[in-house]
Amino acid sequence: PGSRQLLRELYPHTGRARIVGVTGNPGCGKSTLVDALVRGYRKAERRVGVVAVDPSSPFSGGAILGDRIRMQRHAVDPGVFIRSLATRGHLGGISRSTDDVVSVLDAMGFDVVIVETVGVGQAEVEIVETAHLAIVVVVPGLGDEVQAMKAGILEVADLLCVNKADRPGAERAVQDLQQMLTLRTDSRPPPPILETVAVSGKGVEELRAALDARLEAGAGSGLWQEWQERRARRRVEELLRESLTRRALGRMPEQELGARIARVARRELDPFTLAEELAGLAPSTDGVRG
Ligand code: GDP
């Protein structure tokens, strides 16, 4: 409660941070890589915020544990702020809460905000889209690449990172990705593919340099306004969805709603009619025969 008002007041102070999405399958080395990127940014004397989103976990327990482990490394550094979010089950979805946290970090003056998400479904594609640029992390071994392709994640990648390049098959993975990139439907130039070994830091500075080059090129051009507008639109739409859903569901007493949903489940009523009724677009289904 009250967060909305605070976020409203913060809003004019946002809009400066470079927002970077990092996504990939569990275990591909995202946290290790983000950690290495953070170290690089700190060496360059830039302040970094990290939002680690786990869309699959409704519990904050795991997230807090993850926070602790990572925070230890940067515990005494005021130039780093790391926050984990376990967002499943929140009305308003992952993007809303993530965007709010990103906003706070932006207002706090962090130069770069990294949004790290597990790449397992549609949710992370959305989160990646809220960032200015997205890094998609894959590991050697064809399975991951196919998986990435399936999730449509390659479509949103601005940079591709083959992490665990110390493992056999890295070169092959790069080739596979190059092959798959030829299937991209959009007209943007293909994303560069970089190899990293996050555990040793090998290739991470090169990745950061490629990332920064793109971020700064964007920030210094008409792209920046485009990025800001994309985020602004998403936020408005997300808030709208949330408030309209809340309002529509609030129109009907819970018991009545439950009864209607039971009818949908029994196929006595179709979900389209009920949704339209709740949205105020269709007359009440009271008279519909069961
Ligand atoms: P996440 O689930 O994507 O965040 O992955 P983590 O960062 O937790 O890494 C998963 C495991 O892979 C850990 O045991 C890491 O130490 C290991 N790992 C991360 N990067 C590399 C790498 O470049 N090479 C190798 N061999 N292992 C790595």
Side-chain angles (χ1 to χ4, degrees), residues 25-32 116 163-167 196-199:
N25 286 348
C28 71
K30 289 177 300 299
S31 344
T32 314
E116 179 194 318
N163 189 41
K164 306 199 183 183
D166 54 324
R167 291 209 181 155
T196 56
V197 182
V199 277

Side-chain angles (χ1 to χ4, degrees), residues 4-279:
R4 243 172 211 246
Q5 187 50 34
L6 289 173
L7 289 162
R8 223 188 284 265
E9 286 168 33
L10 278 181
Y11 193 73
H13 303 283
T14 62
R16 279 189 298 260
R18 315 289 191 246
I19 305 164
V20 179
V22 176
T23 193
N25 286 348
C28 71
K30 289 177 300 299
S31 344
T32 314
L33 186 69
V34 167
D35 209 67
L37 286 170
V38 167
R39 266 195 305 261
Y41 277 121
R42 292 308 292 144
K43 267 194 206 129
E45 292 183 3
R46 294 176 73 192
R47 302 176 67 216
V48 201
V50 178
V51 189
V53 186
D54 185 351
S56 62
S57 168
F59 308 110
S60 57
I64 287 166
L65 185 65
D67 262 358
R68 272 197 208 124
I69 293 164
R70 289 171 195 249
M71 275 170 174
Q72 275 169 3
R73 200 165 298 166
H74 306 285
V76 293
D77 183 353
V80 181
F81 190 98
I82 299 172
R83 180 75 167 90
S84 293
L85 289 178
T87 51
R88 199 179 76 182
H90 286 203
L91 180 60
I94 299 148
S95 353
R96 159 79 201 289
S97 41
T98 307
D99 274 332
D100 287 347
V101 176
V102 169
S103 251
V104 174
L105 295 175
D106 185 354
M108 283 169 78
F110 286 100
D111 301 300
V112 182
V113 177
I114 300 177
V115 181
E116 179 194 318
T117 55
V118 180
V120 283
Q122 184 55 35
E124 81 287 339
V125 174
E126 268 178 45
I127 291 164
V128 159
E129 281 173 350
T130 80
H132 297 149
L133 290 179
I135 302 175
V136 172
V137 184
V138 298
V139 293
L142 189 70
D144 280 306
E145 279 76 48
V146 171
Q147 193 59 37
M149 192 62 200
K150 213 165 66 185
I153 202 86
L154 286 187
E155 299 280 334
V156 297
D158 298 290
L159 286 105
L160 283 164
C161 170
V162 176
N163 189 41
K164 306 199 183 183
D166 54 324
R167 291 209 181 155
E171 220 168 283
R172 175 69 200 279
V174 172
Q175 286 164 6
D176 286 344
L177 285 173
Q178 273 164 347
Q179 181 60 36
M180 284 177 190
L181 285 175
T182 61
L183 304 173
R184 267 175 44 138
T185 49
D186 62 315
S187 55
R188 287 178 304 163
I193 304 170
L194 289 107
E195 292 179 50
T196 56
V197 182
V199 277
S200 72
K202 188 169 175 232
V204 176
E205 276 307 285
E206 286 81 355
L207 175 67
R208 197 171 68 82
L211 175 65
D212 277 346
R214 275 166 181 74
L215 283 171
E216 293 322 308
S221 73
L223 251 187
W224 185 249
Q225 178 66 14
E226 226 175 86
W227 286 349
Q228 300 293 342
E229 283 178 19
R230 187 173 66 190
R231 270 183 62 73
R233 178 179 291 273
R234 284 187 49 86
R235 298 203 75 194
V236 171
E237 286 181 356
E238 198 65 49
L239 287 164
L240 194 61
R241 241 192 304 279
E242 186 183 335
S243 54
L244 290 180
T245 302
R246 215 183 278 278
R247 203 165 98 190
L249 292 174
R251 283 173 117 107
M252 207 177 264
E254 183 50 44
Q255 216 181 350
E256 203 182 324
L257 179 65
R260 292 275 220 294
I261 286 174
R263 293 180 61 199
V264 173
R266 287 196 300 267
R267 271 60 188 175
E268 295 165 8
L269 181 63
D270 72 78
F272 307 96
T273 305
L274 178 56
E276 282 173 8
E277 183 192 345
L278 287 165

